[in-house]
Amino acid sequence: MVAVTIKSAKEIEGMRIACRLAAETLSAVGKIIKPGISTEDIDAFVVADTKAKGAIAAPLGYKGSGNVPFPKSVCTSINEVICHGIPSKGVILQDGDIINVDITHIVDGFHGDNSATFYVGTPSDEAIHVTEVARRSLELGIAEVKPGARIGDIGAAIQEFAEGQNLSVVRQFTGHGIGRKFHEPPAILHFGERNKGRRIKAGMIFTIEPMINVGEWHAEILPDQWTAVTTDRKLSAQFEHTLLVTEDGVEVLTKRDGVLENSEIFSDWTPRKVES
Ligand code: MF3
Ligand code: CO
Ligand code: CO
């Protein structure tokens, strides 16, 4: 297995700053979400806000494992788009849409990565269900993180909950280690088995970012080489945080102040009762 770096105190300080600023931009995006704006408008807002914070938008020109550089500064993934949606002038937010906005800032060489799904206008019951299950899935994954636990514990907690809610977990994309690189080991699967995988150690920094689907879990990449959609074109929702493993648990580096507008609006939502 490839080594997972344990971050130094100095690196952790750098990551705290990048993550805090990425969280602030995501919160600011929440305030502009409404029917009628385009995903290009979201990109323009992120470009300006990122610059104002003295940060660099990591997505622009990022190549990942493919050859095609990502053409914009933020990922905007609407409805059946699982992740890596490309902002465009022609894509206008419609009443009832759900949209994941994924923000990654680079500050002093360190990456801070976070995303949330927002409601555009009035959502359907199905949109609320998949979005709130995705939100809770991330929380349940985070609750597993502490030194001595294993990476498989995270995926198991998420899969058990999401499938129990009659939804599926995307397998093609994972959480990831992060630091001076956007994506580094370990891969954090959002499905799997308890007591499997590598041990979690203090000083590791990684993301958890479950993508939860209404229908089947399979993803398909569109000809633009980036946009990942559900093969059955049913809804998908996602939330992401960057996390530091501490001596006694976890610090959410991308934690927000206050309520996330147009997202944290169903405080009365509760999971469906599971038939036994
Ligand atoms: N932010 C995404 C993640 O959570 C990665 C986006 S890669 C990009 O890992 F090039 F599309 F920006
Ligand atoms: Co990520
Ligand atoms: Co991200």
Side-chain angles (χ1 to χ4, degrees):
M1 271 199 275
V2 208
V4 174
T5 61
I6 299 299
K7 265 65 177 177
S8 68
K10 234 180 117 182
E11 289 170 323
I12 289 170
E13 240 356 274
M15 286 298 288
R16 280 204 180 99
I17 294 166
C19 288
R20 178 171 47 78
L21 295 177
E24 285 177 11
T25 297
L26 186 62
S27 292
V29 164
K31 299 185 204 245
I32 69 159
I33 298 293
K34 60 172 184 214
I37 69 164
S38 70
T39 51
E40 175 92 17
D41 294 334
I42 297 173
D43 187 73
F45 179 86
V46 169
V47 167
D49 197 72
T50 304
K51 196 169 170 211
K53 290 178 161 59
I56 295 166
L60 186 64
Y62 183 70
K63 277 196 179 163
S65 48
N67 309 312
V68 182
F70 192 78
K72 293 284 179 176
S73 296
V74 59
C75 297
T76 50
S77 303
I78 298 177
N79 297 339
E80 75 280 3
V81 181
I82 296 170
C83 61
H84 305 163
I86 301 172
S88 153
K89 243 192 219 146
V91 179
I92 310 293
L93 305 196
Q94 309 287 331
D95 183 50
D97 283 347
I98 53 172
I99 178 171
N100 174 277
V101 179
D102 194 333
I103 305 273
T104 311
H105 284 354
I106 309 172
V107 182
D108 276 341
F110 295 104
H111 293 72
D113 190 6
N114 66 167
S115 85
T117 296
F118 298 95
Y119 297 105
V120 182
T122 310
S124 65
D125 289 347
E126 191 171 66
I128 296 169
H129 188 63
V130 69
T131 301
E132 297 310 315
V133 169
R135 189 193 313 277
R136 181 73 66 94
S137 293
L138 172 56
E139 287 165 4
L140 292 171
I142 292 171
E144 297 293 330
V145 178
K146 53 178 175 294
R150 299 177 80 157
I151 298 287
D153 300 342
I154 299 170
I158 292 169
Q159 182 178 18
E160 187 185 324
F161 174 65
E163 291 183 357
Q165 292 296 306
N166 259 312
L167 301 172
S168 68
V169 179
V170 173
R171 302 183 181 208
Q172 222 155 320
F173 302 98
T174 68
H176 50 91
I178 183 166
R180 289 189 179 276
K181 290 199 189 132
F182 196 164
H183 297 99
E184 57 183 55
I188 308 294
L189 277 60
H190 304 114
F191 61 95
E193 285 174 57
R194 285 191 180 275
N195 292 314
K196 294 260 169 88
R198 48 169 114 228
R199 284 215 188 269
I200 296 171
K201 294 194 186 118
M204 286 181 177
I205 296 183
F206 54 79
T207 72
I208 304 180
E209 47 185 297
M211 287 143 273
I212 306 298
N213 294 354
V214 164
E216 56 173 26
W217 59 261
H218 302 81
E220 180 183 322
I221 310 295
L222 297 185
D224 64 24
Q225 301 289 313
W226 277 104
T227 309
V229 297
T230 56
T231 47
D232 58 14
R233 303 299 191 266
K234 292 188 181 172
L235 296 179
S236 184
Q238 179 182 25
F239 288 85
E240 172 177 32
H241 273 307
T242 299
L243 311 162
L244 164 68
V245 184
T246 60
E247 293 300 332
D248 54 1
V250 64
E251 179 180 328
V252 181
L253 298 178
T254 44
K255 192 167 160 1
R256 293 174 285 272
D257 295 332
V259 172
L260 188 60
E261 277 185 52
N262 290 302
S263 183
E264 293 169 339
I265 56 178
F266 290 101
S267 52
D268 56 345
W269 180 87
T270 50
R272 287 181 190 158
K273 287 222 170 57
V274 180
E275 317 254 325
S276 53

